[in-house]
Amino acid sequence: MATVEGFRPPPASIPELSPDAVHVWVARLDRSSADTQKLQMLLSTDERQRAERFHFERDRRRFVVGRGLLRTVLGRYLQVSPDCLQFRYGPQGKPALAGGNGLHFNVSHSGELALYAVALEREVGVDIERIASLKEVDDLAERCFSERENIVLRSLPAERRQQAFYTCWTRKEAYLKATGKGLSLPLDQFDVSVLPEEPAALLNTRPVAEEAARWSLASLEPHPDYMAALAVFGRGWQLQCWNFPE
């Protein structure tokens, strides 16, 4: 899949989701107190309890907004009230809708932005990271990336390594989230493309080499200060991206 150059303005209504499409929404988490309160009313009891466990008020508000917007997005696709949705969780914590209605989704948030990926009858994973200055890029990569990925990263001039690090990290995280395996799958057991100008791709998987051909990746550009990536099971799908309405 090619890099997405940008996210479209909010549509008048939720577009129809066909089996060969994947939709991605970007939303801002820092909302007014009134908006936050409205979204909090959509949450379940356990979600509100999770929100209260955050130490910092900003983190609590962002969790409430992110979870409320997730319910809003899914509710619009399913044409049901957002507060009626029920979730179940996989062994590594990947959320899914209870009821088996065929709608798959994944969420990621960093800083003040959240991404929501939605598809029919195919697993999806998404990751977004706010770009921050990393003083020990090489050490982090040595601990987290595969040998192939580290060879590519070390071949770059120092001024390019940070962007390449975030490119590699988001692509790997998106794949892990899509599979639902999380960090139970070691990060050095698969290779992704590293360079920002390269098409996003899952290059190799170990020990099952055939697994790489079952997945496809895409780079996303939700904001200049963020790096993001999407992983999708299968091929031949079309990607559409929007800003979620304020």
Side-chain angles (χ1 to χ4, degrees), residues 18 31 47 94 100 108 150-151 170 179 191 215 219:
S18 61
R31 305 285 179 123
E47 288 170 330
K94 184 180 182 182
S108 181
N150 273 291
I151 289 173
T170 53
T179 63
D191 308 319
W215 296 87
S219 295

Side-chain angles (χ1 to χ4, degrees), residues 1-2 20 22 122-126 170-171 174-176 178-179 192-193 199-203 205 210-219 229-239:
M1 297 295 295
D20 62 349
V22 176
R122 64 172 80 226
E123 294 290 350
V124 290
V126 69
T170 53
R171 291 172 182 178
Y175 170 65
L176 287 177
T179 63
V192 300
S193 52
L202 180 62
L203 303 175
T205 49
E210 295 81 6
E211 182 71 5
R214 301 183 181 123
W215 296 87
S216 45
L217 305 184
S219 295
L230 170 74
V232 181
F233 185 78
R235 299 181 182 274
W237 47 272
Q238 299 296 316
L239 177 60

Side-chain angles (χ1 to χ4, degrees), residues 148-149 152 164 167-169 171-172 191-196 198-204 217 219:
R148 181 193 184 282
E149 292 161 347
V152 175
T167 298
C168 185
W169 180 267
R171 291 172 182 178
K172 291 176 82 70
D191 308 319
V192 300
S193 52
V194 174
L195 301 179
E198 284 184 294
L202 180 62
L203 303 175
N204 301 291
L217 305 184
S219 295

Side-chain angles (χ1 to χ4, degrees), residues 5-218:
E5 297 299 334
F7 283 62
R8 304 177 190 177
S13 60
I14 289 287
E16 181 180 355
L17 181 62
S18 61
D20 62 349
V22 176
H23 293 178
V24 176
W25 300 84
V26 61
R28 190 173 57 84
L29 295 177
D30 291 340
R31 305 285 179 123
S32 68
S33 296
D35 284 347
T36 302
Q37 290 175 2
K38 291 177 182 178
L39 291 167
Q40 186 173 24
M41 294 176 64
L42 304 178
L43 304 190
S44 65
T45 300
D46 67 297
E47 288 170 330
R48 296 182 189 186
Q49 291 172 344
R50 286 176 60 186
E52 292 303 322
R53 289 197 288 268
F54 283 93
H55 181 72
F56 295 107
E57 176 65 17
R58 183 185 65 179
D59 296 334
R60 187 194 70 80
R61 290 198 313 269
R62 286 178 173 177
F63 174 83
V64 168
V65 171
R67 200 69 180 189
L69 291 178
L70 170 64
R71 286 180 168 274
T72 301
V73 169
L74 298 179
R76 291 182 181 180
Y77 277 107
L78 296 171
Q79 298 183 5
V80 300
S81 178
D83 59 343
C84 293
L85 297 174
Q86 294 183 329
F87 298 98
R88 56 181 175 84
Y89 298 88
Q92 300 301 319
K94 184 180 182 182
L97 284 165
N101 50 37
L103 191 68
H104 292 255
F105 71 92
N106 198 237
V107 183
S108 181
H109 54 83
S110 179
E112 65 172 345
L113 295 184
L115 285 182
Y116 304 92
V118 187
L120 283 175
E121 303 296 350
R122 64 172 80 226
E123 294 290 350
V124 290
V126 69
D127 187 59
I128 183 171
E129 301 291 340
R130 184 167 188 170
I131 299 172
S133 180
L134 297 174
K135 296 181 180 180
E136 300 178 349
V137 169
D138 292 342
D139 290 341
L140 286 171
E142 193 69 33
R143 293 198 301 268
C144 299
F145 294 169
S146 69
E147 180 179 357
R148 181 193 184 282
E149 292 161 347
N150 273 291
I151 289 173
V152 175
L153 196 67
R154 288 194 297 266
S155 72
L156 299 175
E159 64 271 14
R160 293 193 60 200
R161 289 182 188 174
Q162 180 166 276
Q163 186 182 24
F165 175 89
Y166 278 106
T167 298
C168 185
W169 180 267
T170 53
R171 291 172 182 178
K172 291 176 82 70
E173 278 290 309
Y175 170 65
L176 287 177
K177 294 182 68 178
T179 63
K181 296 178 181 178
L183 293 179
S184 66
L185 176 63
L187 285 166
D188 62 357
Q189 290 301 295
F190 60 98
D191 308 319
V192 300
S193 52
V194 174
L195 301 179
E197 63 270 22
E198 284 184 294
L202 180 62
L203 303 175
N204 301 291
T205 49
R206 297 174 287 276
V208 183
E210 295 81 6
E211 182 71 5
R214 301 183 181 123
W215 296 87
S216 45
L217 305 184

